[in-house]
Amino acid sequence: MQPLTEREIRDSFVNCSKGEAKRLAVPRDLADLPWDDLDFLGWRDPGAPDRSCLVAEREGRLTGVTLRFPPPRRGYLHRSLCSLCLTAHPRGGVSLMTARKAGAAGREGNSVGVYMCTDLACSLYVRGKKISESGARFEESLTLEEQIARTTGNLYAFLDKLSA
């Protein structure tokens, strides 16, 4: 992914108003992010513990979405699998992220959900740059490039549902 500016990020959101996009907390460390290892930029909003944001580049165009997820439940001991990168996480490492649909459907309250890594670090898990609390990813016969293509394909399928 190419490095992004705060303005590019704010202008990319498709499922919130321009005013909401203007008020969103954007990462302050944009210059320090590992852009070459990112397939999308994802972050949690420090001011709203149930909200995250995601910006993806596809065919030269940026698409940003705001996401909501429920608070983690206590006593939740089983593992969950991210549907984008297929990384297994224990206790709250995967959340059902819901995004309001774009346009009139979103204004009517329609949304789409996907189970994702709660920290939105799918790109880093796929590349082995970050390890989940469970200690490892499943061993796969796919090459790294194929795993990256699968992850971005799963992300694009989710983003396509937002505008459908």
Side-chain angles (χ1 to χ4, degrees):
M1 183 168 201
Q2 296 297 317
L4 302 175
T5 65
E6 181 177 339
R7 182 176 181 98
E8 289 172 319
I9 292 169
R10 291 188 189 284
D11 290 345
S12 72
F13 285 92
V14 297
N15 69 338
C16 65
S17 69
K18 290 185 186 283
E20 289 171 317
K22 213 176 206 181
R23 292 186 297 274
L24 288 173
V26 175
R28 296 176 190 255
D29 62 345
L30 291 174
D32 300 328
L33 293 176
W35 292 103
D36 291 338
D37 293 325
L38 297 179
D39 302 308
F40 63 89
L41 174 62
W43 71 96
R44 290 180 66 175
D45 185 339
D50 66 337
R51 185 171 51 205
S52 293
C53 300
L54 182 148
V55 177
E57 185 176 1
R58 184 177 184 187
E59 298 171 358
R61 202 171 133 246
L62 293 176
T63 302
V65 295
T66 58
L67 303 160
R68 299 258 182 201
F69 61 96
R73 293 184 273 170
R74 292 183 180 216
Y76 198 56
L77 298 176
H78 76 296
R79 293 177 189 224
S80 298
L81 191 67
C82 173
S83 60
L84 296 187
C85 67
L86 304 186
T87 299
H89 293 275
R91 314 171 244 116
V94 171
S95 296
L96 175 61
M97 302 280 188
T98 58
R100 186 173 47 187
K101 291 185 90 168
R107 288 189 294 278
E108 292 173 6
N110 296 326
S111 62
V112 177
V114 64
Y115 284 95
M116 290 179 61
C117 296
T118 304
D119 63 3
L120 301 166
C122 299
S123 302
L124 301 179
Y125 290 120
V126 168
R127 289 168 174 79
K129 306 276 181 172
K130 189 170 185 178
I131 306 295
S132 79
E133 283 185 43
S134 64
R137 287 178 32 91
F138 294 110
E139 189 171 325
E140 296 192 62
S141 60
L142 299 177
T143 66
L144 176 60
E145 290 76 23
E146 291 169 329
Q147 292 177 50
I148 291 168
R150 179 188 59 210
T151 300
T152 56
N154 291 339
L155 173 63
Y156 296 157
F158 169 67
L159 294 175
D160 288 345
K161 290 177 186 175
L162 292 176
S163 59

